[in-house]
Amino acid sequence: MNTVNYVLLAVTQEQVNVFAAFLGGMVVSGALIWAVRMGMSVRDREPEPPRPEEQPHLPDGGPVLEEREAREPEEVPHAGQESERLMPYQLHHAASKRCDDQNRKRWLPGSSGAFGSGGPGHV
């Protein structure tokens, strides 16, 4: 072989870079194809979506409306004696109870507002 053949067979650094980029692209595209096929097979194993008759529907009486009520804190019962302790069945399950006065509380003019509201404070 002569020098001309060696020059033709020699690979430049740019050609190696292009070939490496091509191989990297093939690996990435192969991984993406594999991931899509695996996702499709996982989706095929999932149960079917519910049919229209299985979907939730409104009750016969129509939609349930919101209920508002004023609440007040429930006092924790105290033990009769210092040595006596409260048992769990003596405590209530809720920390608040329904208030007797159900009128909505309003701020009075000139009274304090929220912190940083710019108001004059509690008068």
Side-chain angles (χ1 to χ4, degrees):
M1 288 179 91
N2 60 12
T3 308
V4 175
N5 290 338
Y6 284 123
V7 170
L8 291 176
L9 292 176
V11 178
T12 64
Q13 186 63 35
E14 292 85 19
Q15 291 172 333
V16 170
N17 291 341
V18 168
F19 184 69
F22 178 76
L23 280 181
M26 292 297 288
V27 168
V28 169
S29 63
L32 289 174
I33 290 171
W34 174 80
V36 167
R37 293 196 62 179
M38 189 179 91
M40 290 171 61
S41 67
V42 166
R43 187 146 186 206
D44 288 341
R45 290 190 304 255
E46 290 179 353
E48 294 292 322
R51 295 187 301 273
E53 60 269 7
E54 295 173 338
Q55 296 288 336
H57 58 280
L58 284 175
D60 295 332
V64 179
L65 300 176
E66 178 180 311
E67 183 177 321
R68 291 186 181 194
E69 66 180 7
R71 309 280 297 172
E72 62 184 359
E74 180 78 57
E75 292 294 325
V76 176
H78 296 286
Q81 297 176 358
E82 187 69 29
S83 62
E84 191 178 328
R85 64 182 183 146
L86 292 175
M87 302 306 280
Y89 56 83
Q90 294 172 314
L91 300 175
H92 300 289
H93 66 279
S96 64
K97 62 182 179 180
R98 189 172 194 271
C99 191
D100 293 332
D101 181 22
Q102 289 296 310
N103 294 328
R104 187 171 174 203
K105 305 285 190 262
R106 300 287 183 181
W107 289 105
L108 298 174
S111 66
S112 66
F115 177 76
S117 66
H122 187 62
V123 180

